[in-house]
Amino acid sequence: MSIHIGAKEGDIAEVVLLPGDPLRAKFVAETFLENPVLYTSIRNILGYTGTYKGKRVSVQGTGMGIPSISIYVNELFKEYGVKRAIRIGTAGALHKDVKIRDLVLAMSACTDSGANNIRFGSRNFAPTATFSLLKTAWDIAVSKGWQPKAGAVVSSDMFYTEDPDEWKLWAKFGCLAMEMECAELYTLAAKFGREALCILTISDSLVTGEATTAEERQNTFTRMMETALETAIS
């Protein structure tokens, strides 16, 4: 039994969806999974296991930011034998052609976090998605007519930055969106030899200032959820 998840052996499936918001985990479990069972509510970070189209799937909240997702993914990989982890999160658009509610598949994740500096010192590691999952998610989204975008994203440690124009540098180098967890998920998947993908929905735009509500982010980004579930069981 792990420290922060606290589930028993066998409670968690080998494939797990990872929303940051625990209430999004609850929404996914109650909306898409058959016979969902709550296996953890420690710190109100909720985790459920059920079935999707006859296959066992878990959905585990991770909280916000790299330190938080690092705790949960470490435990999922080390203590519960999770083999495939798909983040379903929100992100801020960095380009005018990336619109609110667009689906973004993160091929790679740049970051300003110090986590990999601690790991690698002066070396630079390139956190990258599992290609087979990326291709599967792309094909699924395209088949549904959802016009996904794929490219680099930025995993930022700071939501409220000292420089409000800092995002423009990332945009200049082609990053599509900014979020707060993907780089750590990809790094840990590489370390443990697991599969990982980040599927994001654009919830706001740093370019236009548009934004969705908290309730919309929690309950309405179903294209991302469906794409992730179909990819998870592929």
Side-chain angles (χ1 to χ4, degrees):
M1 185 178 293
S2 68
I3 296 172
H4 299 91
I5 297 175
K8 299 188 296 295
E9 184 178 355
D11 282 351
I12 301 175
E14 291 186 348
V15 294
V16 179
L17 270 56
L18 301 172
D21 183 353
L23 292 180
R24 190 181 305 131
K26 183 175 187 287
F27 177 83
V28 171
E30 293 179 348
T31 304
F32 294 102
L33 300 186
E34 295 180 4
N35 303 313
V37 175
L38 178 70
Y39 61 75
T40 186
S41 60
I42 295 172
R43 296 176 179 243
N44 281 331
I45 302 293
L46 308 177
Y48 298 83
T49 297
T51 58
Y52 180 75
K53 296 187 176 179
K55 296 188 178 181
R56 201 159 177 259
V57 176
S58 294
V59 54
Q60 171 67 55
T62 64
M64 288 188 285
I66 280 175
S68 187
I69 195 173
S70 186
I71 288 170
Y72 291 96
V73 171
N74 264 289
E75 293 186 10
L76 289 169
F77 286 167
K78 290 195 296 185
E79 306 293 336
Y80 298 103
V82 169
K83 292 182 167 55
R84 178 175 292 179
I86 301 176
R87 167 164 154 69
I88 48 173
T90 57
L94 300 182
H95 287 276
K96 65 180 187 310
D97 59 342
V98 181
K99 308 294 186 184
I100 295 291
R101 296 183 178 275
D102 273 359
L103 207 59
V104 172
L105 309 180
M107 296 171 59
S108 59
C110 307
T111 186
D112 58 16
S113 172
N116 275 348
N117 293 334
I118 295 170
R119 289 189 177 98
F120 296 102
S122 61
R123 304 167 187 86
N124 291 316
F125 178 75
T128 309
T130 300
F131 177 75
S132 58
L133 292 185
L134 180 72
K135 184 178 186 304
T136 298
W138 175 272
D139 290 344
I140 289 167
V142 168
S143 73
K144 295 178 179 292
W146 291 341
Q147 299 180 323
K149 293 177 172 63
V153 302
V154 183
S155 298
S156 176
D157 260 359
M158 299 284 287
F159 189 88
Y160 298 109
T161 64
E162 297 302 317
D163 179 3
D165 291 326
E166 181 183 353
W167 63 272
K168 293 179 181 178
L169 178 62
W170 297 111
K172 179 180 178 180
F173 283 83
C175 295
L176 299 180
M178 185 170 287
E179 52 87 70
M180 299 186 74
E181 291 87 17
C182 186
E184 182 70 358
L185 173 59
Y186 286 0
T187 300
L188 291 174
K191 176 182 177 180
F192 290 102
R194 311 301 165 85
E195 298 180 338
L197 179 65
C198 288
I199 303 177
L200 305 167
T201 299
I202 298 300
S203 59
D204 59 279
S205 173
L206 280 77
V207 180
T208 67
E210 296 172 274
T212 55
T213 67
E215 185 176 1
E216 286 176 308
R217 294 192 294 273
Q218 178 183 312
N219 296 331
T220 69
F221 293 167
T222 55
R223 291 180 177 183
M224 167 178 67
M225 300 168 191
E226 290 182 43
T227 300
L229 285 164
E230 294 290 338
T231 302
I233 66 170
S234 64

